Structures are given as C-alpha cells and as structure tokens.
Amino acid sequence: LIKQRNPGYTPEEIKTIVKNTAQTLPNFEEITTQGFGLVDAKKAVFFDTPLAVSLEPIEQNSRFISINGNIKGAGFNSYTLSYARKMPIAQITQWTKIASSSKLPANNILYEKFNTETMQDGEYLIRLEVSDKQGRKFYDYGYLKIEKF
C-alpha cells in the first residue's frame, strides 16, 4: 500500500516508515525480540517524505568499534548516536550520548573508534536518532554485546 501510494519510495524509506509509525504493543518487551510494535497501516500509508535511517550490525573485535549506518532522504537536520543497557525500551530512562552531528556521515561512518573500555560487560542497545527539518524523529536500534578481552 505504501509503495502504491508513493511509487518513488525506496525499500529503505518504506522500512523506516513502517518502523516509525508502528504502535507500541501493550506488553512491550525488548525491541530485539519483538520489533517496533504493531504496524499502523493507515498511518504508514499516509506518512510523507521520510528519511531512510538504519544502523549496520555492530561487531566488537577489539575495545574500539566503528558504528556505521545509513541516513538518506531530503530534509535531514541532525543525528544523535547513543547507548543504554539492553532492556525493554519503555524502561530506558537515560541514554548516554556517543556523538551527534548536523552533517551527514561520510562513508556511512557515524562514529569511528568508539572506546568500549569504560563500559561494563553486558548487552547494550545502540540508538540512532535522526531528525528532519520538520522536527520529526526517525529511529533505528542496534545490539552490542561487550565482552572484555
């Protein structure tokens, strides 16, 4: 339906629309097991001019990691990259900022050589929050498991 109404939308834009217009489920658990929620088809079909936002899988093979992602579309304003201990998103009250910028990332590198040394072992969510010039926010989340070597 989204593609029918907006034939020029890319698969990445459609994915962002579906994720960012979903309704949170009443017993919302973890985004890594349940996704963004229940698809709101009407809201998704009538959503206009999205930014395509995605994080690439994050690998920790040393104490320094690179966080890569894609931000595409007209109207980009800024992005913020942050992390929090892995738990249901509704329970996260504080995100720790890694970086932010009003410039699109070069070569899809959102942050290079993020030092995980000060983080405790465990599971974390990485959040990419992108805002457009209309003040709308688009999100994607990644998973990071810290294991000290």
Side-chain angles (χ1 to χ4, degrees), residues 27-38:
N27 297 321
F28 192 64
E29 292 297 323
E30 297 181 16
I31 198 162
T32 55
T33 58
Q34 192 167 305
F36 279 75
L38 183 65

Side-chain angles (χ1 to χ4, degrees), residues 99-139:
S100 63
S101 179
S102 58
K103 295 180 182 178
L104 284 169
N107 302 318
N108 297 332
I109 300 171
L110 299 167
Y111 196 87
E112 193 169 28
K113 296 185 179 178
F114 174 57
N115 187 351
T116 62
E117 189 67 28
T118 60
M119 298 170 75
Q120 296 179 351
D121 283 1
E123 298 175 315
Y124 293 84
L125 287 177
I126 304 292
R127 178 178 72 178
L128 172 59
E129 177 183 307
V130 180
S131 64
D132 68 8
K133 293 187 188 305
Q134 296 177 43
R136 299 179 300 176
K137 294 187 186 287
F138 303 88
Y139 298 93

Side-chain angles (χ1 to χ4, degrees), residues 89-101:
I89 292 216
Q91 294 177 13
I92 298 174
T93 58
Q94 182 175 350
W95 291 87
T96 302
K97 186 166 91 170
I98 298 170
S100 63
S101 179

Side-chain angles (χ1 to χ4, degrees), residues 8-20 36 47-56 68-79 104-105 108 110 128-132 136-141:
Y9 282 3
T10 65
E12 294 84 10
E13 289 171 323
I14 292 170
K15 182 179 175 182
T16 298
I17 289 171
V18 171
K19 289 189 302 187
N20 285 276
F36 279 75
F47 194 91
D48 288 323
T49 54
L51 292 173
V53 175
S54 64
L55 277 172
E56 295 177 10
N68 302 317
N70 298 296
I71 303 170
K72 296 179 183 171
F76 167 80
N77 186 51
S78 65
Y79 74 88
L104 284 169
N108 297 332
L110 299 167
L128 172 59
E129 177 183 307
V130 180
S131 64
D132 68 8
R136 299 179 300 176
K137 294 187 186 287
F138 303 88
Y139 298 93
D140 198 17
Y141 297 88

